Amino acid sequence: MARFWIALVLAAGMFVGRANAATVEDCSGIRAARGTTVEPTACVDYGTHLTFRSEGFLPGQVVSALILGPQGLVGGADWSAHAGAEGVVVVDVDTASFRGVALAGGDYLFVARDITGRRPAAEASFRVVGSPSPPPVEPVAQPEPAPDAMPAASPPKVPAGIPMPQGACAAREPLPVEGAQAWMVAEHPAVKAVFTLCTRLIVDGKVTAGARVVATASSAIGAARLPAATTRTDGVAPIAFRLANAAPGQPLRVTALIVYAGHQYEAETSFTPN
Protein backbone atom coordinates (compact mmCIF):
# COMPACT_ATOMS: atom_id res chain seq x y z
CA MET A 1 0.00 0.00 0.00
CA ALA A 2 1.47 3.31 -1.00
CA ARG A 3 2.42 5.75 1.77
CA PHE A 4 2.54 9.47 1.11
CA TRP A 5 3.85 12.77 2.68
CA ILE A 6 1.35 15.56 3.05
CA ALA A 7 1.25 19.25 3.84
CA LEU A 8 -2.35 20.31 3.50
CA VAL A 9 -5.36 21.84 5.20
CA LEU A 10 -8.37 19.59 5.72
CA ALA A 11 -11.33 21.34 7.31
CA ALA A 12 -14.97 21.78 6.31
CA GLY A 13 -18.44 22.19 7.78
CA MET A 14 -19.64 24.19 10.76
CA PHE A 15 -19.88 23.35 14.46
CA VAL A 16 -23.55 22.98 15.33
CA GLY A 17 -23.32 22.38 19.08
CA ARG A 18 -21.60 20.25 21.71
CA ALA A 19 -22.90 17.99 24.42
CA ASN A 20 -20.05 18.32 26.95
CA ALA A 21 -16.95 20.34 27.86
CA ALA A 22 -13.57 18.64 28.42
CA THR A 23 -12.52 18.27 32.07
CA VAL A 24 -9.34 17.03 33.75
CA GLU A 25 -10.97 13.65 34.28
CA ASP A 26 -11.98 13.44 30.60
CA CYS A 27 -8.35 14.02 29.53
CA SER A 28 -6.54 11.37 31.59
CA GLY A 29 -4.72 8.42 30.04
CA ILE A 30 -3.77 9.95 26.66
CA ARG A 31 -0.45 8.49 25.52
CA ALA A 32 2.46 10.80 24.69
CA ALA A 33 2.96 11.93 21.09
CA ARG A 34 6.02 10.96 19.05
CA GLY A 35 7.46 13.34 16.45
CA THR A 36 4.21 15.32 16.33
CA THR A 37 2.84 18.32 18.18
CA VAL A 38 -0.88 19.02 18.59
CA GLU A 39 -2.32 22.51 18.97
CA PRO A 40 -4.07 23.72 21.03
CA THR A 41 -4.03 20.46 23.06
CA ALA A 42 -4.52 16.71 22.66
CA CYS A 43 -7.87 16.78 24.53
CA VAL A 44 -10.53 19.12 23.12
CA ASP A 45 -14.27 19.69 22.95
CA TYR A 46 -16.11 18.54 19.86
CA GLY A 47 -15.99 21.26 17.21
CA THR A 48 -12.46 22.43 18.10
CA HIS A 49 -9.97 23.06 15.28
CA LEU A 50 -6.72 21.05 15.71
CA THR A 51 -3.33 21.50 14.02
CA PHE A 52 -0.87 18.59 13.76
CA ARG A 53 2.80 19.21 12.93
CA SER A 54 4.93 16.12 12.20
CA GLU A 55 8.67 16.31 11.62
CA GLY A 56 11.69 14.08 11.06
CA PHE A 57 11.25 13.42 7.34
CA LEU A 58 13.32 14.47 4.34
CA PRO A 59 12.36 17.52 2.28
CA GLY A 60 10.28 16.38 -0.68
CA GLN A 61 9.84 12.86 0.72
CA VAL A 62 6.62 11.03 -0.15
CA VAL A 63 4.74 9.91 2.98
CA SER A 64 1.21 9.11 4.11
CA ALA A 65 -1.03 10.54 6.80
CA LEU A 66 -4.19 9.11 8.30
CA ILE A 67 -6.46 9.25 11.34
CA LEU A 68 -7.71 6.13 13.13
CA GLY A 69 -10.75 6.35 15.38
CA PRO A 70 -13.17 4.15 17.31
CA GLN A 71 -14.69 2.92 14.03
CA GLY A 72 -11.47 2.49 12.07
CA LEU A 73 -9.86 4.61 9.36
CA VAL A 74 -11.51 8.05 9.28
CA GLY A 75 -12.62 8.98 5.77
CA GLY A 76 -11.80 5.51 4.45
CA ALA A 77 -8.30 6.34 3.12
CA ASP A 78 -5.01 8.15 3.79
CA TRP A 79 -3.85 11.33 2.05
CA SER A 80 -0.69 12.07 0.12
CA ALA A 81 1.66 14.87 -0.87
CA HIS A 82 5.36 15.70 -0.54
CA ALA A 83 7.28 16.97 2.47
CA GLY A 84 7.91 20.69 2.59
CA ALA A 85 11.33 22.34 2.46
CA GLU A 86 11.86 21.67 6.19
CA GLY A 87 10.49 18.12 6.09
CA VAL A 88 7.47 19.04 8.23
CA VAL A 89 3.87 18.13 7.52
CA VAL A 90 1.05 20.34 8.77
CA VAL A 91 -2.51 19.01 8.90
CA ASP A 92 -5.44 21.10 10.12
CA VAL A 93 -8.47 19.18 11.35
CA ASP A 94 -11.92 20.52 12.19
CA THR A 95 -13.36 17.92 14.58
CA ALA A 96 -16.87 18.92 13.49
CA SER A 97 -16.18 17.85 9.88
CA PHE A 98 -13.01 16.12 8.72
CA ARG A 99 -13.31 14.81 5.15
CA GLY A 100 -17.07 14.88 5.70
CA VAL A 101 -16.87 12.87 8.93
CA ALA A 102 -17.70 14.26 12.39
CA LEU A 103 -15.07 13.29 14.96
CA ALA A 104 -17.53 12.71 17.79
CA GLY A 105 -16.49 11.88 21.34
CA GLY A 106 -13.73 9.25 21.55
CA ASP A 107 -10.00 8.48 21.24
CA TYR A 108 -8.21 8.99 17.92
CA LEU A 109 -4.69 8.49 16.54
CA PHE A 110 -3.02 10.74 13.93
CA VAL A 111 -0.19 9.03 12.02
CA ALA A 112 2.31 10.38 9.46
CA ARG A 113 4.94 8.00 8.03
CA ASP A 114 7.12 7.47 4.97
CA ILE A 115 6.43 4.66 2.51
CA THR A 116 9.75 2.87 3.04
CA GLY A 117 9.38 2.14 6.75
CA ARG A 118 12.97 3.29 7.36
CA ARG A 119 11.90 5.97 9.82
CA PRO A 120 9.58 5.54 12.80
CA ALA A 121 6.09 6.85 12.23
CA ALA A 122 5.27 10.27 13.68
CA GLU A 123 2.04 10.05 15.61
CA ALA A 124 -0.15 11.71 18.21
CA SER A 125 -3.09 10.37 20.17
CA PHE A 126 -5.89 12.82 20.84
CA ARG A 127 -9.33 12.80 22.44
CA VAL A 128 -12.55 14.55 21.46
CA VAL A 129 -15.06 15.20 24.25
CA GLY A 130 -18.74 15.63 23.43
CA SER A 131 -20.71 15.24 20.23
CA PRO A 132 -22.93 17.32 17.94
CA SER A 133 -26.35 18.26 19.26
CA PRO A 134 -28.84 16.46 17.00
CA PRO A 135 -31.75 18.44 15.56
CA PRO A 136 -35.18 17.59 16.97
CA VAL A 137 -37.00 14.88 15.03
CA GLU A 138 -40.48 13.47 15.13
CA PRO A 139 -40.69 9.91 16.49
CA VAL A 140 -41.12 7.28 13.81
CA ALA A 141 -42.56 3.85 14.46
CA GLN A 142 -39.98 1.14 13.81
CA PRO A 143 -40.94 -2.22 12.29
CA GLU A 144 -40.36 -5.34 14.33
CA PRO A 145 -37.09 -7.08 13.38
CA ALA A 146 -37.30 -10.39 11.55
CA PRO A 147 -37.04 -13.42 13.86
CA ASP A 148 -33.64 -14.38 12.44
CA ALA A 149 -32.24 -10.82 12.39
CA MET A 150 -28.83 -10.50 14.07
CA PRO A 151 -27.88 -7.38 16.07
CA ALA A 152 -25.34 -5.12 14.44
CA ALA A 153 -21.76 -5.65 15.62
CA SER A 154 -20.35 -2.94 17.84
CA PRO A 155 -17.18 -1.20 16.61
CA PRO A 156 -13.99 -2.23 18.45
CA LYS A 157 -13.16 -0.13 21.50
CA VAL A 158 -9.91 1.84 21.60
CA PRO A 159 -8.39 1.35 25.08
CA ALA A 160 -6.92 4.48 26.70
CA GLY A 161 -3.45 4.69 28.22
CA ILE A 162 -1.85 1.85 26.23
CA PRO A 163 1.97 2.38 26.27
CA MET A 164 3.86 2.81 23.03
CA PRO A 165 5.81 -0.35 22.03
CA GLN A 166 9.52 -0.33 22.75
CA GLY A 167 12.18 -0.64 20.06
CA ALA A 168 11.49 -1.80 16.51
CA CYS A 169 7.85 -2.68 17.21
CA ALA A 170 6.97 1.03 17.30
CA ALA A 171 7.19 0.92 13.49
CA ARG A 172 3.82 0.25 11.82
CA GLU A 173 2.11 -0.23 15.22
CA PRO A 174 -1.66 -0.55 14.67
CA LEU A 175 -4.26 1.29 16.71
CA PRO A 176 -4.55 -0.52 20.09
CA VAL A 177 -7.70 -2.63 20.38
CA GLU A 178 -8.96 -5.21 22.86
CA GLY A 179 -7.59 -8.71 22.25
CA ALA A 180 -4.60 -10.04 20.31
CA GLN A 181 -2.77 -8.06 17.61
CA ALA A 182 0.04 -8.92 15.20
CA TRP A 183 2.02 -6.79 12.75
CA MET A 184 5.32 -6.87 10.85
CA VAL A 185 7.97 -4.19 11.38
CA ALA A 186 8.44 -4.05 7.58
CA GLU A 187 5.71 -4.81 5.04
CA HIS A 188 8.18 -5.45 2.19
CA PRO A 189 11.56 -6.45 3.73
CA ALA A 190 14.52 -7.76 1.74
CA VAL A 191 14.13 -11.50 1.17
CA LYS A 192 17.42 -12.32 2.97
CA ALA A 193 16.81 -9.92 5.87
CA VAL A 194 15.90 -10.79 9.44
CA PHE A 195 12.11 -10.40 9.65
CA THR A 196 10.47 -9.11 12.83
CA LEU A 197 6.95 -10.02 13.93
CA CYS A 198 5.35 -8.01 16.74
CA THR A 199 2.46 -9.30 18.84
CA ARG A 200 0.45 -7.60 21.58
CA LEU A 201 -2.32 -8.71 23.93
CA ILE A 202 -4.76 -6.28 25.58
CA VAL A 203 -7.25 -7.76 28.06
CA ASP A 204 -9.89 -5.65 29.84
CA GLY A 205 -8.30 -2.48 28.46
CA LYS A 206 -4.79 -3.24 29.81
CA VAL A 207 -1.64 -4.73 28.28
CA THR A 208 -0.60 -8.17 29.53
CA ALA A 209 2.96 -9.08 30.53
CA GLY A 210 4.23 -12.67 30.64
CA ALA A 211 1.87 -14.09 28.00
CA ARG A 212 3.35 -16.96 25.95
CA VAL A 213 3.46 -16.48 22.16
CA VAL A 214 3.94 -19.11 19.45
CA ALA A 215 3.69 -18.22 15.76
CA THR A 216 3.78 -19.83 12.32
CA ALA A 217 4.70 -18.32 8.93
CA SER A 218 3.16 -20.01 5.90
CA SER A 219 3.16 -19.58 2.14
CA ALA A 220 2.08 -21.54 -0.93
CA ILE A 221 5.12 -23.82 -0.61
CA GLY A 222 5.06 -24.62 3.11
CA ALA A 223 5.02 -23.43 6.71
CA ALA A 224 7.63 -22.73 9.40
CA ARG A 225 7.34 -22.51 13.18
CA LEU A 226 8.84 -19.29 14.57
CA PRO A 227 10.76 -18.95 17.85
CA ALA A 228 8.57 -18.73 20.94
CA ALA A 229 8.41 -15.46 22.89
CA THR A 230 6.88 -13.85 25.98
CA THR A 231 5.15 -10.46 26.16
CA ARG A 232 7.07 -7.67 27.93
CA THR A 233 5.74 -5.07 30.35
CA ASP A 234 4.42 -3.07 27.36
CA GLY A 235 2.33 -6.10 26.37
CA VAL A 236 4.39 -6.65 23.21
CA ALA A 237 6.44 -9.70 22.20
CA PRO A 238 8.82 -9.17 19.23
CA ILE A 239 9.95 -12.27 17.31
CA ALA A 240 12.95 -12.02 14.96
CA PHE A 241 13.30 -14.80 12.39
CA ARG A 242 14.65 -15.84 8.98
CA LEU A 243 12.95 -18.02 6.37
CA ALA A 244 15.15 -20.14 4.11
CA ASN A 245 12.32 -20.75 1.63
CA ALA A 246 11.17 -17.13 1.36
CA ALA A 247 11.00 -15.87 -2.24
CA PRO A 248 10.72 -12.31 -3.59
CA GLY A 249 7.14 -11.32 -4.33
CA GLN A 250 5.69 -14.37 -2.54
CA PRO A 251 3.17 -13.35 0.18
CA LEU A 252 3.56 -14.93 3.62
CA ARG A 253 0.83 -15.21 6.23
CA VAL A 254 1.85 -15.15 9.90
CA THR A 255 -0.46 -16.58 12.57
CA ALA A 256 0.26 -15.88 16.25
CA LEU A 257 -1.27 -17.78 19.18
CA ILE A 258 -1.05 -16.02 22.56
CA VAL A 259 -1.75 -17.93 25.79
CA TYR A 260 -2.57 -15.92 28.93
CA ALA A 261 -4.33 -16.82 32.19
CA GLY A 262 -5.58 -20.09 30.73
CA HIS A 263 -7.08 -18.48 27.64
CA GLN A 264 -5.91 -18.53 24.01
CA TYR A 265 -5.97 -15.52 21.67
CA GLU A 266 -5.15 -15.54 17.96
CA ALA A 267 -4.05 -12.81 15.54
CA GLU A 268 -2.85 -12.77 11.92
CA THR A 269 -0.76 -10.52 9.71
CA SER A 270 1.11 -10.83 6.42
CA PHE A 271 4.10 -9.50 4.48
CA THR A 272 5.73 -9.87 1.07
CA PRO A 273 9.54 -9.93 0.79
CA ASN A 274 11.27 -8.04 -1.99
Side-chain angles (χ1 to χ4, degrees):
M1 177 180 178
R3 303 295 187 219
F4 310 94
W5 182 251
I6 69 173
L8 48 85
V9 174
L10 297 170
M14 296 184 64
F15 171 50
V16 296
R18 66 186 64 169
N20 298 304
T23 66
V24 174
E25 291 76 12
D26 293 328
C27 299
S28 62
I30 300 176
R31 56 194 273 183
R34 177 180 59 190
T36 300
T37 59
V38 189
E39 297 175 354
T41 177
C43 184
V44 297
D45 294 334
Y46 172 80
T48 302
H49 189 97
L50 293 172
T51 298
F52 297 88
R53 300 178 186 274
S54 298
E55 58 185 20
F57 300 98
L58 298 176
Q61 181 182 3
V62 180
V63 305
S64 73
L66 54 86
I67 290 181
L68 294 169
Q71 298 187 20
L73 187 61
V74 175
D78 53 5
W79 310 273
S80 65
H82 290 77
E86 298 181 354
V88 177
V89 62
V90 179
V91 178
D92 290 334
V93 175
D94 182 353
T95 58
S97 181
F98 179 72
R99 289 181 59 95
V101 178
L103 303 187
D107 287 339
Y108 296 84
L109 179 67
F110 171 83
V111 179
R113 58 192 178 194
D114 67 66
I115 63 174
T116 66
R118 296 173 184 172
R119 290 177 173 78
E123 60 182 45
S125 295
F126 66 100
R127 182 172 299 160
V128 179
V129 177
S131 56
S133 300
V137 295
E138 294 295 329
V140 178
Q142 298 296 323
E144 291 293 329
D148 58 346
M150 297 295 292
S154 300
K157 295 183 178 179
V158 180
I162 300 300
M164 187 177 297
Q166 305 167 15
C169 286
R172 303 187 69 245
E173 176 209 5
L175 184 71
V177 295
E178 183 78 11
Q181 294 181 281
W183 68 95
M184 299 298 298
V185 168
E187 188 176 7
H188 299 287
V191 69
K192 298 299 183 181
V194 176
F195 311 132
T196 302
L197 166 71
C198 299
T199 62
R200 175 168 57 194
L201 180 62
I202 299 174
V203 177
D204 295 331
K206 298 180 180 179
V207 296
T208 59
R212 188 68 170 169
V213 182
V214 293
T216 302
S218 58
S219 67
I221 61 175
R225 187 75 170 266
L226 307 187
T230 302
T231 56
R232 308 172 304 204
T233 55
D234 60 354
V236 175
I239 300 177
F241 63 98
R242 293 181 183 271
L243 292 177
N245 61 350
Q250 182 180 72
L252 289 129
R253 184 179 66 181
V254 183
T255 303
L257 183 67
I258 306 177
V259 180
Y260 179 75
H263 298 279
Q264 293 185 354
Y265 305 83
E266 185 174 313
E268 284 191 358
T269 186
S270 63
F271 69 104
T272 303
N274 289 326

